[in-house]
C-alpha cells in the first residue's frame, strides 16, 4: 500500500508545488513508483511536469465529481516511475459542485484508495487555501508536509493550518500525521533566514525536517522547462536538497538506511 503525503499550507508562495514536483521526482529517481496528484486549480504541478493544462481532457476534478475511472486520467511523465493525475481550471468549480454531495470530504480518498496498491508514494499538491479540496486531500492522506519559507511572517497562518489538521484528525482521518515541517527558500547568507530556522526548530523541534531547501535559481528555472530540478540540473543545490529530503523521508519511514547525499558549494 502506498504512503499518501499531502503538501499543504494555505499561505501562497512557500514552495508547495516545487516540493511536490521535486520530492516526487527524487522518490522516482530512487526507483519508488510515485504518483503526483495535482489538486490545485492553478495546475502548476501539471505544467511543471511537462503537461499543458489546456490539453488535459480528464483531471482529478472528473475523478472526484464525475466518478471517471482513474485509468482514464493518469498520465506518464518523462521520468521513469513517475506518473501524474493532472489538474485544470475546472477544479475551481469542484468545491461548489461538491457542497451538496454525501461524504463530500472523502471523494479524493475513494479515488486514491484504488491507486494505493499500485504506487509506493502518492504526493498531493494542495491549493493555497483550506477549502474543500484541501480538506479532501488531508482526509485522503496518511501524512502532511508543511512547507514554511525562511522569510519574515514565516509562521503566519501556520497555527490555523495546524488547527485544521487537528479537526480533520478528530472528525475525518484519525490516522493523519504530520510528516514534517519543511523549511524552504533558505539563504545561509541572510541573518533573517538563520533566525527563522532557529525559531522554527526551537518551537517545533522534531517536527522539522533536518533537510533545508535553499533558495536556488535552478529550482526556479526548472518549471519553465516542464521538468523537475533533478532533470534540469542534477548537481544543483536544489536538486540535491530534494534528493536528501526524499532520503530523509524514506529513513523516517524505515524504507532506507541512512546514506545522505551531500550538497556541495
Amino acid at each position: 500500500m502506498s504512503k499518501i503525503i499531502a503538501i499543504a499550507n494555505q499561505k501562497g508562495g512557500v514552495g508547495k508545488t516545487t516540493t511536490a514536483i521535486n520530492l516526487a521526482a527524487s522518490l522516482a529517481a530512487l526507483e519508488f513508483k510515485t504518483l503526483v496528484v495535482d489538486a490545485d486549480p492553478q495546475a502548476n504541478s501539471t505544467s511543471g511536469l511537462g503537461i499543458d493544462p489546456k490539453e488535459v481532457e480528464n483531471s482529478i476534478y472528473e475523478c472526484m465529481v464525475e466518478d471517471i475511472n482513474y485509468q482514464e486520467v493518469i498520465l506518464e511523465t518523462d521520468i521513469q516511475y513517475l506518473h501524474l493525475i493532472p489538474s485544470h481550471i475546472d477544479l475551481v468549480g469542484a468545491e461548489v459542485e461538491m457542497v451538496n454531495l454525501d461524504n463530500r470530504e472523502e471523494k479524493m480518498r475513494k479515488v486514491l484508495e484504488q491507486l494505493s496498491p499500485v504506487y509506493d508514494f502518492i504526493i498531493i499538491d494542495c491549493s493555497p487555501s483550506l477549502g474543500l479540496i484541501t480538506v479532501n486531500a488531508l482526509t485522503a492522506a496518511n501524512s502532511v508536509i508543511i512547507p514554511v519559507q525562511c522569510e519574515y511572517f514565516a509562521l503566519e497562518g501556520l497555527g490555523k493550518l495546524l488547527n485544521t489538521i487537528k479537526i480533520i484528525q478528530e472528525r475525518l482521518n484519525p490516522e493523519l500525521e504530520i510528516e514534517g515541517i519543511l523549511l524552504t527558500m533558505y539563504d545561509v547568507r541572510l541573518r533573517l533566514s538563520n533566525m527563522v530556522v532557529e525559531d522554527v526548530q526551537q518551537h517545533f523541534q522534531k517536527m522539522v525536517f533536518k533537510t533545508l531547501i535553499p533558495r536556488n535559481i535552478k529550482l526556479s528555472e526548472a518549471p519553465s522547462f516542464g521538468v523537475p530540478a533533478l532533470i534540469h540540473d542534477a548537481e544543483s543545490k536544489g536538486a540535491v536538497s530534494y534528493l536528501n529530503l526524499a532520503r530523509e523521508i524514506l529513513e523516517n519511514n524505515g524504507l532506507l538506511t541512512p546514506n545522505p547525499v551531500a550538497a556541495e558549494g
Side-chain angles (χ1 to χ4, degrees), residues 146-160:
I146 305 170
V148 173
Q149 82 279 34
C150 296
E151 296 178 356
Y152 197 60
F153 293 136
L155 301 181
E156 182 182 347
L158 189 54
K160 188 174 182 180

Side-chain angles (χ1 to χ4, degrees), residues 206-220:
K206 291 183 179 180
M207 287 172 61
V208 185
F209 285 111
K210 295 176 185 175
T211 304
L212 300 175
I213 305 301
R215 187 177 290 279
N216 179 250
I217 188 65
K218 298 299 182 182
L219 283 176
S220 302

Side-chain angles (χ1 to χ4, degrees), residues 46-238:
T46 300
S47 60
L49 287 171
I51 307 296
D52 185 350
K54 295 177 182 177
E55 296 180 2
V56 168
E57 293 183 9
N58 293 314
S59 70
I60 188 63
Y61 166 83
E62 281 77 15
C63 287
M64 295 171 64
V65 176
E66 300 177 10
D67 294 324
I68 283 184
N69 191 294
Y70 67 84
Q71 292 176 331
E72 299 180 37
V73 179
I74 293 176
L75 302 175
E76 294 185 358
T77 71
D78 292 334
I79 301 170
Q80 190 178 11
Y81 299 111
L82 182 60
H83 292 166
L84 169 72
I85 291 183
S87 179
H88 57 56
I89 193 63
D90 285 354
L91 193 60
V92 170
E95 295 194 2
V96 176
E97 294 185 44
M98 290 165 60
V99 165
N100 294 319
L101 297 180
D102 293 333
N103 302 315
R104 59 184 178 271
E105 299 91 354
E106 300 188 3
K107 293 297 182 181
M108 190 180 296
R109 173 190 273 171
K110 290 181 178 178
V111 175
L112 300 187
E113 278 177 349
Q114 303 172 67
L115 291 164
S116 190
V118 180
Y119 293 94
D120 298 306
F121 286 92
I122 297 176
I123 308 296
I124 309 172
D125 181 19
C126 298
S127 62
S129 74
L130 295 178
L132 187 53
I133 302 300
T134 298
V135 169
N136 261 264
L138 295 174
T139 301
N142 304 119
S143 65
V144 55
I145 291 174
I146 305 170
V148 173
Q149 82 279 34
C150 296
E151 296 178 356
Y152 197 60
F153 293 136
L155 301 181
E156 182 182 347
L158 189 54
K160 188 174 182 180
L161 175 60
L162 292 173
N163 188 54
T164 299
I165 291 170
K166 183 178 179 182
I167 292 170
I168 288 171
Q169 287 169 329
E170 292 172 350
R171 301 181 185 176
L172 296 167
N173 186 3
E175 297 181 2
L176 180 66
E177 299 178 345
I178 295 177
E179 191 76 29
I181 293 172
L182 178 65
L183 290 160
T184 63
M185 305 178 194
Y186 174 66
D187 189 337
V188 68
R189 301 166 299 176
L190 297 181
R191 182 168 174 264
L192 178 59
S193 276
N194 291 298
M195 287 175 61
V196 170
V197 169
E198 186 177 334
D199 287 348
V200 174
Q201 289 176 338
Q202 185 175 358
H203 190 75
F204 293 102
Q205 300 179 9
K206 291 183 179 180
M207 287 172 61
V208 185
F209 285 111
K210 295 176 185 175
T211 304
L212 300 175
I213 305 301
R215 187 177 290 279
N216 179 250
I217 188 65
K218 298 299 182 182
L219 283 176
S220 302
E221 286 178 352
S224 66
F225 293 92
V227 295
L230 199 61
I231 302 299
H232 182 53
D233 185 348
E235 297 182 357
S236 66
K237 287 183 180 180

Side-chain angles (χ1 to χ4, degrees), residues 27-56:
L27 290 166
L30 294 169
E31 299 188 358
F32 289 88
K33 195 168 184 184
T34 306
L35 174 70
V36 173
V37 177
D38 191 347
D40 185 348
Q42 296 177 75
N44 289 331
S45 278
T46 300
S47 60
L49 287 171
I51 307 296
D52 185 350
K54 295 177 182 177
E55 296 180 2
V56 168

